[in-house]
Amino acid sequence: MYALDRLQKIQARNKSMICLGLDLDPKRMPPDFTTSAKAMFDFAVRIVEATADIVCAYKPNIAFYESLGGEGLSLLRMIIERIPDDIPVILDAKRGDIGNTSAHYAHALFDGLKADWVTLNPYMGYDSLRPFLEYKEKGVFILCLTSNPGSKDFQMLMVDGKPLYRIVAEKVVYWNKVHNCGLVVGATVPEQLKEIREVAATLPLLIPGVGAQGGSLEAAVLNGTDNFRKPALINVSRSVLYASKGDDFAQRAREEMMKLNDIVNGLRNRTLEPPPPLPNMKRNDNTKEENREQKPEGNYSNSNNNNE
Amino acid sequence: MYALDRLQKIQARNKSMICLGLDLDPKRMPPDFTTSAKAMFDFAVRIVEATADIVCAYKPNIAFYESLGGEGLSLLRMIIERIPDDIPVILDAKRGDIGNTSAHYAHALFDGLKADWVTLNPYMGYDSLRPFLEYKEKGVFILCLTSNPGSKDFQMLMVDGKPLYRIVAEKVVYWNKVHNCGLVVGATVPEQLKEIREVAATLPLLIPGVGAQGGSLEAAVLNGTDNFRKPALINVSRSVLYASKGDDFAQRAREEMMKLNDIVNGLRNRTLEPPPPLPNMKRNDNTKEENREQKPEGNYSNSNNNNE
């Protein structure tokens, strides 16, 4: 089964489009779980056990493991092995190199670390991505418009009247011959998310940048999925992983995940099954709809501070 | 001492601007040295011992080590430890992520693996590079215009009349507050190399893409250094590392390196110390000069096939 089919299957089963980032940062973890690689593994396993029925994917960022030194990648490998087989693992690695070298990266991430999806950087062009694309049952999310302030430096530059991120989106659509490509688009740019959703009509979008307060979750979901018609994943990390530094961290992580799922599924129900309008309520309902549509713009600058 | 000073010191001492890529690929290595991580380590040590007095840097690409699985990064760490302290190690990793995550990469590469320089991908903008730039005594080479065919996909797009790679070069010049930035520019694009050399007047250029036949070495050197007035490193990998599959691989690697140094130093002598013109030879000398200046363009398409 192809990566996108597997992803959509688990999204339906777990009623979730939330991807949980597994970025183990000793500075933020409960202190008892930072004393050794084994303790960090236990933390991750408890998080996975507490959330495996309510996420659609896990997304470890490899930088957090590389920075742990010699044991880091072994720890990552062990954690990935403990994630149930039917839940996709997106390895956030943002790789990209000349073809021969990219083939080594693809082997390391897909075969060695058993990732189902990886994130890639498009700057070096098609041949830097191709070795990954040749894994037809795996998937890639290619950086398009990222959630950080630096996205303005190059991604938003105008090329012949089009922003660079849009050209990246168009090229990836063209390169998506076997339906294993997706795009990374930040929740911090809801208008552009809508634009990219239109350009990349069938590609799954991986959407980071939803803040600890969930500021623009609503916009990310509605714009990223074109009102639940297209595939998308919303990534959250810190707000769930580090919801508590106490013994209840796993339970609290689960509660945070459930809150997020409830918000998303509430939107889904509102979008797909509008209540029959009552004559004297109609004006109020419309007002509510308008407020919701305008919220993303209002939240733009706030949500910049809550990047994940 | 800053990274660029250290680099220039070793370039003068070893009379070399050749950086040797340490991309250990079992498919190309002498078979006896591919049986274990220990054997691969021995291969690398013999290469380093045979060349340490005639290179200006070593550049392992981390992808080749990641693809070896669990032992790969330990092998890389051991190899880096065996490189003499005064020879810079450029870890070719092409990293870049949002600020907090990039800080983890910087820690992994600079503190963990003891790299002196790393290569970075600029697509995510300034805040993705900043954690690396804050290591003031280390250095970064930021991808500008790469040597692979995919460089045309995005790097060469025109933004307000300027190619994207030029905007990258200009921004990196601006970000180079503590003189620890350089740029990666492929030898396969000698004209653009000249242009970027002008834009980034004082930055060191890391120049990959010189082929096994040394096709455009001359153009890379002259354009990359502005006739030996500016700092640059020419990277070679396969043509030196795998000059022989026999027992003489280290000696053959040394011979290949010496050939490259001789070509470069021959150019240097020609450029810096023109012979006094003899009256009846003047016309011939001028013709030779013109031929040399034109060679880069002529070699452009050939050298595309010899990318490293």
Side-chain angles (χ1 to χ4, degrees), chain A residues 139-214:
Chain A
V140 304
F141 286 104
I142 294 164
L143 299 183
C144 180
L145 182 54
T146 55
S147 60
N148 61 319
S151 64
K152 291 178 189 65
D153 288 323
F154 304 115
Q155 299 166 24
M156 292 207 181
L157 293 178
M158 297 300 282
V159 180
D160 287 336
K162 276 185 207 173
L164 178 61
Y165 67 80
R166 189 177 169 122
I167 293 179
V168 170
E170 289 172 352
K171 292 228 175 184
V172 174
V173 167
Y174 178 72
W175 295 333
N176 183 33
K177 304 292 185 200
V178 296
H179 307 291
N180 57 353
C181 297
L183 294 170
V184 178
V185 186
T188 46
V189 283
E191 283 179 66
Q192 289 87 343
L193 178 58
K194 203 166 186 171
E195 175 195 358
I196 294 165
R197 178 70 286 170
E198 283 169 23
V199 171
T202 62
L203 272 61
L205 303 184
L206 173 60
I207 307 173
V210 169
Q213 283 80 30

Side-chain angles (χ1 to χ4, degrees), chain B residues 2-304:
Chain B
Y2 290 103
L4 181 55
D5 297 325
R6 287 201 305 274
L7 173 64
Q8 291 185 298
K9 194 174 163 186
I10 203 76
Q11 286 195 323
R13 193 193 74 189
N14 283 1
K15 294 184 179 52
S16 177
M17 63 172 64
I18 308 289
C19 165
L20 179 54
L22 291 177
D23 304 341
L24 298 197
D25 188 345
K27 287 190 206 113
R28 297 168 191 268
M29 288 165 60
D32 287 354
F33 289 89
T34 62
T35 50
S36 67
K38 172 70 175 67
M40 294 180 75
F41 174 71
D42 290 341
F43 174 86
V45 168
R46 284 185 54 187
I47 290 282
V48 169
E49 285 174 353
T51 56
D53 60 330
I54 51 173
V55 298
C56 72
Y58 290 104
K59 182 178 78 63
N61 188 309
I62 197 167
F64 287 81
Y65 299 87
E66 289 185 12
S67 73
L68 295 173
E71 289 174 311
L73 290 187
S74 313
L75 171 63
L76 174 58
R77 202 174 294 114
M78 283 167 59
I79 291 172
I80 291 174
E81 273 169 17
R82 281 299 287 271
I83 293 173
D85 285 345
D86 50 4
I87 302 183
V89 172
I90 301 169
L91 194 47
D92 196 353
K94 300 186 175 68
R95 299 297 198 252
D97 208 311
I98 64 172
N100 177 44
T101 309
S102 261
H104 282 271
Y105 276 131
H107 177 63
L109 304 180
F110 282 149
D111 301 320
L113 289 167
K114 311 288 184 199
D116 299 297
W117 297 76
V118 297
T119 60
L120 300 179
N121 187 311
Y123 189 69
M124 293 182 69
Y126 179 64
D127 63 296
S128 71
L129 309 172
R130 192 173 49 193
F132 291 90
L133 300 181
E134 285 170 354
Y135 284 75
K136 291 182 183 172
E137 304 213 345
K138 305 279 190 175
V140 303
F141 285 104
I142 295 165
L143 299 183
C144 180
L145 182 54
T146 55
S147 60
N148 62 319
S151 65
K152 290 179 189 64
D153 288 324
F154 305 114
Q155 298 166 24
M156 291 208 183
L157 293 177
M158 296 300 281
V159 180
D160 287 336
K162 277 185 208 172
L164 178 60
Y165 67 79
R166 190 179 167 119
I167 294 178
V168 170
E170 289 172 350
K171 292 228 177 185
V172 174
V173 167
Y174 179 72
W175 295 333
N176 182 34
K177 304 293 186 200
V178 296
H179 308 290
N180 57 353
C181 296
L183 295 170
V184 178
V185 186
T188 48
V189 283
E191 282 179 68
Q192 290 86 344
L193 178 57
K194 202 166 186 171
E195 175 195 359
I196 294 165
R197 178 70 286 170
E198 282 169 23
V199 171
T202 62
L203 272 62
L205 303 184
L206 173 61
I207 307 172
V210 170
Q213 283 78 30
S216 57
L217 174 62
E218 192 176 48
V221 170
L222 294 175
N223 294 1
T225 64
D226 186 16
N227 291 331
F228 295 95
R229 287 188 281 261
K230 304 288 169 59
L233 304 85
I234 311 291
N235 187 72
V236 296
S237 294
R238 289 174 246 172
S239 62
V240 170
L241 277 190
Y242 310 124
S244 164
K245 275 203 170 192
D247 284 347
D248 61 343
F249 72 90
Q251 180 57 31
R252 288 289 307 283
R254 182 176 177 83
E255 288 163 14
E256 287 299 316
M257 275 296 309
M258 290 180 81
K259 270 190 223 167
L260 296 167
N261 282 339
D262 283 350
I263 294 170
V264 175
N265 291 325
L267 288 171
R268 185 197 301 267
N269 295 337
R270 265 206 281 166
T271 308
L272 297 185
E273 297 165 33
L278 297 173
N280 60 343
M281 295 278 288
K282 204 174 174 185
R283 183 180 296 271
N284 285 342
D285 275 348
N286 277 350
T287 315
K288 221 186 271 171
E289 276 301 297
E290 277 165 22
N291 281 344
R292 178 156 61 79
E293 287 300 314
Q294 282 168 5
K295 215 171 172 185
E297 276 181 287
N299 279 354
Y300 180 92
S301 56
N302 288 337
S303 57
N304 257 328

Side-chain angles (χ1 to χ4, degrees), chain A residues 24 27 47 75 87 111 139 181 217 236 240 275 277:
Chain A
L24 299 197
K27 287 191 205 114
I47 291 282
L75 170 64
I87 302 183
D111 302 319
C181 297
L217 174 62
V236 295
V240 171

Side-chain angles (χ1 to χ4, degrees), chain A residues 251-294:
Chain A
Q251 181 57 32
R252 287 289 307 283
R254 182 175 178 83
E255 288 163 13
E256 287 299 316
M257 275 297 308
M258 292 182 80
K259 269 190 223 169
L260 295 167
N261 281 338
D262 283 350
I263 293 169
V264 175
N265 292 324
L267 288 171
R268 184 194 304 266
N269 295 337
R270 264 205 281 166
T271 309
L272 298 183
E273 299 165 32
L278 297 174
N280 60 345
M281 296 277 287
K282 205 173 173 185
R283 181 181 295 270
N284 285 342
D285 275 348
N286 277 350
T287 315
K288 224 186 268 170
E289 278 299 299
E290 279 165 21
N291 281 342
R292 178 155 63 77
E293 289 299 315
Q294 284 168 3

